[in-house]
Amino acid sequence: MPLTSDPPAGSALAGTPAPQRTGPPKADDPAALKVVPVRHPWRWAAIAVTAVLLAQFVHGLVTNPAWEWGVFAQFFATGTVLKAVWVTFRLTAYGTALGFALGMVLALMRLSASPFLRWVAFGYIWAFRSVPLIVQLLFWFNLSYLYKRLDFGIPFGPGVFHLDTMGLVGAMGAAVLGLALHQAAYAAEIVRAGVLAVDGGQVEAAAALGIPRLRRLRWIVLPQAMRSILPNAGNEVISLFKGTSIVSVMAIGELFYQVQVVYGRNRRVVPLLMVATAWYILLTTVLSVLQHYVERHYAKGAAR
């Protein structure tokens, strides 16, 4: 007979009301304890201080005439600024696409069984992460000074055809090349970390079932690795978007350079810097929203 069960129907206990407590509760009775919510006075004090500081910051931002919001509104959506935003967007898109494409190749080389390929990929990542981006950009910008032309043909032998570097790599091409090669070093490590995060037992089980290597990578490794890759990749894209301002040293008309040109003429430094800041915040917000939806798409199989 089970120890806990309902009393059988028709028995003397069936339908018997539970005994009611009579008289005042005892001191040790839990029902007699008074429940008092936990108070957090320091938390409320911190909220009040933070709210006051935030209100003061917003008030100073709105009422201080030194910000020159009229000048900000005048230049925020001018044709010059919009064109500069488009150049910034193109630099980000080209740098991201080429950088992650090369980064995936480097990641596969780092994961290769060949020691030579692993060391070549390691050397590339080590070199491009060690040299500052601005130095790399200036090297690519002066490529025609180092090499007058590029010869293609027999290695260490005569060239079949050649390209003139003076017309091959302009300012925009040097910027895209520098950003992409620099981004590839970081993208390779992000992709490699994502692949290594996948349990190796799943790959071994798929191999035991006779699934080809490329299908294992496409249908088993990559969907799971994307959940680890996307957050870091999103950070890198946002970092690259803001980092495009460094190409202003090559006089490319991206957002920060164009803003510098405008305030160099009218001496309205602060409102023009706020124009660039507002565009960076706006586009970074758009990229963050896109990252959120892409991450949610690849988390369908894991979200509960």
Side-chain angles (χ1 to χ4, degrees), residues 66-240:
W67 291 105
E68 299 184 76
W69 292 114
V71 179
F72 169 85
Q74 178 185 353
F75 285 95
F76 180 73
T78 57
T80 303
V81 172
L82 292 179
K83 185 179 178 181
V85 170
W86 175 241
V87 173
T88 301
F89 178 79
R90 285 170 54 202
L91 287 171
T92 306
Y94 295 156
T96 300
L98 297 176
F100 273 88
L102 181 57
M104 290 185 67
V105 175
L106 290 169
L108 293 177
M109 291 172 65
R110 284 274 281 156
L111 296 170
S112 170
S114 167
F116 177 75
L117 293 179
R118 287 203 305 270
W119 277 105
V120 169
F122 174 81
Y124 178 95
I125 295 168
W126 167 76
F128 278 85
R129 290 199 306 187
S130 301
V131 181
L133 176 58
I134 188 170
V135 177
Q136 296 179 37
L137 290 171
L138 292 176
F139 269 125
W140 291 116
F141 189 58
N142 293 285
L143 180 65
S144 60
Y145 171 77
L146 297 172
Y147 301 98
K148 303 300 181 187
R149 66 181 192 181
L150 297 178
D151 292 317
F152 297 90
I154 301 173
F156 305 105
V160 178
F161 67 96
H162 65 271
L163 295 175
D164 184 7
T165 56
M166 183 65 73
L168 181 65
V169 182
M172 190 70 177
V176 172
L177 195 58
L179 292 173
L181 294 178
H182 182 77
Q183 188 66 28
Y186 292 91
E189 290 298 274
I190 292 173
V191 174
R192 186 175 71 92
V195 172
L196 291 177
V198 179
D199 185 14
Q202 299 183 34
V203 181
E204 294 173 0
L209 293 173
I211 300 176
R213 183 181 179 86
L214 287 179
R215 291 185 65 187
R216 294 200 300 267
L217 181 66
R218 169 67 180 84
W219 297 107
I220 297 175
V221 176
L222 200 55
Q224 299 182 74
M226 288 299 287
R227 291 201 293 270
S228 300
I229 292 172
L230 282 174
N232 294 323
N235 286 336
E236 277 301 314
V237 174
I238 290 173
S239 177
L240 177 64

